[in-house]
Amino acid sequence: MQTTRALLPEPARRFAAWCVVLLLAAGVFAIGIWLCVVFQTAVTPVLLAILGTALLGPLYRRLLRMKVRKALAAALTVVAVVTVVGGATYIVVLALIETGDQIVASLRQAATDIAKHLGAAGTSLDDLAKNAKSLLEKFGGTAASGVINGLSVVGEMLATAVLALLLIFFFLKDSDRAAGALRSLAPRATGDLMEAMARRAFEAVEGFMRGTTFVAFVDAVLIGIGLLVLDVPGAVGLAALVFVTAYIPYLGAFLSGAVAVLVALADRGFVIALWVLGIVLAVQVLEGNVLQPIVQSKTVQMHPAAVMLAITAGASVAGILGMLLAVPLTAAATGVLGELRSRYGAPRETPGETG
């Protein structure tokens, strides 16, 4: 009997099969991103609510252990987050308003000083500053003539915040039904797998949100104390900026640290600027070698390169909001991949097992 010869060798067929799988996965992922962008008004509150639920889960569970009813516990948790976030936002905005002009003036002076020291290259910085000023003036005129558009943006943000708070309430109150709902949507044979992946993803997001919030608070307090001791202008506003930008890993710390150093350079001189740089670097070393390993030791660990790529992709898709959401979503995806690897990955052979 004559055997038919395969058109391609076995390695080539395997490579082609993997290419098909990767193309299909990339297509599904691209369609998912496109749908999220198209339905951004509905998707954004859901994602924010998931992050809020992950952050507030411990408080809700503590209230349940105190024999508080589910609906009341969820309502009290939402009231707590409104109080805390509203108060923190008020403090941050007030600090930035009070010291914003001083910080901007210091940055402008720092740019001028740097331009003087750079000589010919500094003329480009001067041109950049002048162009930025003209652009800001044009932007201000456009904004003044388009107050209605600004009000619509504010209204949309408020509607998103209210919807996210309502979703947080329902997510907390009905969290015990989440597993059953997921099982009802998944095929019967994959119910356990879907539940396990969802739990791993949520645990990763929960760990990221709680850990990042704690680390951001510590960073802001330590850097703020250092700036106050060095008598850097706008220290409270700069500390608030450190806290807010800490939710964008690596890039946020670089931006807030650079602003603090430039403000110190403009108002306090080169030596104080070096001290501020030393404080920022010391806090970052403390964060990277002590705080992050301790706080997030039980969560999904992500490589810095993966974090930076996720931030870049998020910024290209949804701007600042994408930068904020990129890392927790990547953490969730990493948790799902970890669950799949633990279930279907090839077991590692120990030296004693080889015959």
Side-chain angles (χ1 to χ4, degrees), residues 5-48:
R5 186 177 180 181
L7 181 62
L8 294 174
E10 181 66 20
R13 292 201 302 272
R14 290 183 178 179
F15 176 74
W18 275 110
C19 288
V20 172
V21 171
L22 292 176
L23 287 174
L24 289 175
V28 172
F29 182 75
I31 293 175
I33 295 295
W34 177 76
L35 290 175
C36 289
V37 173
V38 171
F39 298 102
Q40 184 177 359
T41 306
V43 172
T44 300
V46 174
L47 295 177
L48 293 177

Side-chain angles (χ1 to χ4, degrees), residues 71-353:
L72 181 58
L76 290 176
T77 304
V78 172
V79 171
V81 71
V82 170
T83 304
V84 173
V85 173
T89 303
Y90 175 77
I91 294 173
V92 170
V93 171
L94 184 63
L96 291 176
I97 289 176
E98 290 180 350
T99 60
D101 294 338
Q102 195 174 15
I103 292 174
V104 171
S106 299
L107 290 176
R108 187 180 301 170
Q109 182 63 38
T112 303
D113 295 340
I114 292 174
K116 289 180 180 178
H117 286 87
L118 289 179
T123 56
S124 60
L125 291 176
D126 285 333
D127 294 338
L128 181 61
K130 293 177 181 178
N131 292 332
K133 183 178 179 181
S134 63
L135 287 175
L136 287 175
E137 290 175 353
K138 293 179 181 178
F139 176 77
T142 304
S145 62
V147 176
I148 297 178
N149 293 332
L151 291 177
S152 65
V153 172
V154 173
E156 184 179 349
M157 293 176 61
L158 290 176
T160 300
V162 171
L163 181 56
L165 289 173
L166 291 175
L167 290 175
I168 289 174
F169 171 79
F170 289 114
F171 286 173
L172 290 173
K173 184 175 73 72
D174 300 327
S175 57
D176 56 336
R177 304 178 186 177
L182 187 62
R183 284 178 173 274
S184 65
L185 294 175
R188 183 174 302 177
T190 61
D192 292 338
L193 175 62
M194 295 298 293
E195 181 181 353
M197 290 192 302
R199 290 186 183 278
R200 285 287 293 269
F202 187 78
E203 288 173 1
V205 174
E206 189 177 34
F208 170 81
M209 289 300 298
R210 284 164 32 194
T212 302
T213 301
F214 177 76
V215 171
F217 178 76
V218 173
D219 287 355
V221 169
L222 293 179
I223 293 178
I225 291 175
L227 295 176
L228 288 173
V229 171
L230 294 174
D231 196 22
V232 176
V236 178
L238 291 172
L241 183 64
V242 170
F243 180 82
V244 172
T245 56
Y247 285 92
I248 305 176
Y250 304 110
L251 182 61
F254 171 77
L255 293 176
S256 59
V259 171
V261 171
L262 289 175
V263 171
L265 177 64
D267 279 77
R268 301 285 291 143
F270 183 73
V271 176
I272 299 298
L274 285 180
W275 276 102
V276 172
L277 178 61
I279 291 174
V280 171
L281 292 178
V283 171
Q284 295 305 314
V285 170
L286 176 67
E287 173 189 335
N289 294 279
V290 179
L291 293 179
Q292 291 284 1
I294 292 177
V295 173
Q296 297 186 350
S297 59
K298 296 182 180 180
T299 63
V300 177
Q301 298 293 324
M302 293 179 291
H303 195 277
V307 173
M308 294 303 298
L309 288 175
I311 293 174
T312 305
S316 63
V317 173
I320 296 178
L321 182 62
M323 295 173 69
L324 293 174
L325 296 175
V327 180
L329 292 178
T330 304
T334 306
V336 171
L337 292 176
E339 180 65 26
L340 292 175
R341 192 183 303 113
S342 64
R343 285 174 173 258
Y344 302 109
R348 296 182 179 178
E349 294 183 356
T350 58
E353 292 178 351

